[in-house]
Amino acid sequence: MQVTKTVEETRKQIKAWKKEGKTVGLVPTMGFLHEGHASLIKKCREQNDIVVVSDFVNPTQFGPTEDLEAYPRDFERDSKLCESLGADLIFCPEPSEMYHDPHAFVSIDTLSETLCGKTRPIHFKGVCTVVSKLFHIVAPDRAYFGQKDAQQLAIIRKMVQDLNFDIEIIGCPIVREEDGLAKSSRNTYLSPEERKAALCLSKAVKAGQEAIRTGIPAEELLGRMRAVIEEEPLAKIDYVSMVDALTMQPVEKADRSVLVAMAVYIGKTRLIDNFSYEV
């Protein structure tokens, strides 16, 4: 497995593989890889000749008061995991390699204005910019994203469609701990007491999945989910919402394919979870 740190050496290697007629899959990550990332890498391995993993904590998607400096990093561990899963190349640039006094960015309206975009206004501009850059650098045939970040996945799909990227976007299911908590690099911030409290998210998901089948209005369904979370003293709701799966705009009932998503603070740690309901 190769490790590259510059755009130039990454492009050079990708071009060589493409010259041999090989297909390339990309798994964009911010490192500190867990089983959720592993599931993306495995899927990528199944579907492509070459597997590229990017390992880059992207500064432009963090707001001024967010956890950029504290975000967990362990490249040695990431590298071993990628190698064990059959990755061919890890691209792990420094921020200075990716950004040189930038003035051009990629942003998306409407889809980025609800859910996480409401309280993290610059986040998706940073995500779209870095993902576009990775798409240009790696030129993959396919790219893999987790459904835990469902709004991000919808935004990337729309960006690819609108900007004519010739890339197939593959969404992969949420991977959970045995007790139901969605895998996340930020779970490492939780104390043992907070870790237990964090189960209120997956419990609320379960309550929502059961309720949505009865055809009740969104507000009633979301009320049931909020009630589950509010039973937990350490939890503070950022949002619990039901939105159209494509536009990310609020809906009053599940009369089309919808995303039911939440962000909840457990102590100081902001966690997200969701489920989709297809009509």
Side-chain angles (χ1 to χ4, degrees):
M1 185 184 71
Q2 298 186 41
V3 176
T4 58
K5 291 187 175 293
T6 70
V7 172
E8 190 182 358
E9 62 182 329
T10 307
R11 276 191 168 145
K12 193 177 172 186
Q13 181 55 71
I14 301 283
K15 278 177 183 169
W17 280 323
K18 291 221 162 196
K19 212 173 175 181
E20 294 169 11
K22 292 183 171 170
T23 57
V24 176
L26 170 66
V27 182
T29 82
M30 292 213 302
F32 211 72
L33 306 180
H34 51 66
E35 287 89 339
H37 298 108
S39 73
L40 304 181
I41 297 167
K42 284 175 189 167
K43 183 55 111 177
C44 185
R45 179 70 285 163
E46 285 168 22
Q47 297 183 333
N48 302 276
D49 299 323
I50 298 295
V51 173
V52 177
V53 178
S54 63
D55 191 314
F56 177 60
V57 181
N58 175 41
T60 66
Q61 68 192 67
F62 288 81
T65 59
E66 292 180 355
D67 56 343
L68 174 60
E69 295 309 318
Y71 196 84
R73 295 159 170 87
D74 188 343
F75 183 72
E76 201 175 318
R77 185 171 146 271
D78 292 347
S79 190
K80 283 177 183 163
L81 178 67
C82 287
E83 190 150 28
S84 74
L85 294 169
D88 298 285
L89 184 147
I90 302 183
F91 175 45
C92 60
E94 290 295 323
S96 58
E97 177 66 17
M98 292 293 278
Y99 296 105
H100 312 272
D101 184 29
H103 292 273
F105 296 91
V106 181
S107 61
I108 189 164
D109 63 21
T110 311
L111 284 82
S112 65
E113 290 159 14
T114 58
L115 307 180
C116 288
K118 235 179 188 172
T119 49
R120 303 185 74 192
I122 69 160
H123 177 67
F124 290 116
K125 178 180 166 186
V127 169
C128 287
T129 300
V130 78
V131 170
S132 295
K133 288 167 77 71
L134 290 168
F135 285 175
H136 286 308
I137 294 161
V138 177
D141 297 282
R142 299 177 191 88
Y144 297 78
F145 296 86
Q147 287 169 354
K148 184 174 77 76
D149 297 296
Q151 185 178 19
Q152 170 180 279
L153 177 57
I155 283 171
I156 298 294
R157 285 193 200 282
K158 183 64 173 152
M159 179 187 82
V160 163
Q161 181 185 25
D162 285 0
L163 299 183
N164 303 108
F165 281 103
D166 187 17
I167 298 169
E168 185 184 356
I169 302 301
I170 313 281
C172 298
I174 296 173
V175 176
R176 298 182 180 276
E177 304 283 0
E178 276 182 33
D179 59 8
L181 181 67
K183 298 265 187 187
S184 169
S185 302
R186 288 187 170 99
N187 290 349
T188 55
Y189 297 160
L190 301 169
S191 69
E193 190 188 3
E194 288 170 339
R195 170 66 183 76
K196 205 172 164 186
L199 292 177
C200 68
L201 279 87
S202 54
K203 284 177 187 167
V205 163
K206 201 173 175 193
Q209 286 172 322
E210 286 168 7
I212 203 165
R213 295 190 191 101
T214 65
I216 59 174
E219 210 34 64
E220 192 181 333
L221 178 135
L222 298 172
R224 289 187 195 181
M225 292 174 68
R226 287 188 196 105
V228 171
I229 298 163
E230 283 162 358
E231 281 175 17
E232 174 47 63
L234 293 179
K236 185 176 132 231
I237 294 172
D238 180 353
Y239 68 80
V240 182
S241 302
M242 184 194 287
V243 296
D244 181 289
L246 293 177
T247 66
M248 298 288 112
Q249 297 309 293
V251 294
E252 291 179 4
K253 56 185 177 184
D255 56 357
R256 68 200 85 174
S257 293
V258 297
L259 169 70
V260 181
M262 70 186 84
V264 178
Y265 285 93
I266 304 293
K268 288 182 179 175
T269 304
R270 185 177 181 276
L271 300 177
I272 58 174
D273 206 339
N274 69 75
F275 70 92
S276 294
Y277 181 74
E278 292 183 6
V279 174

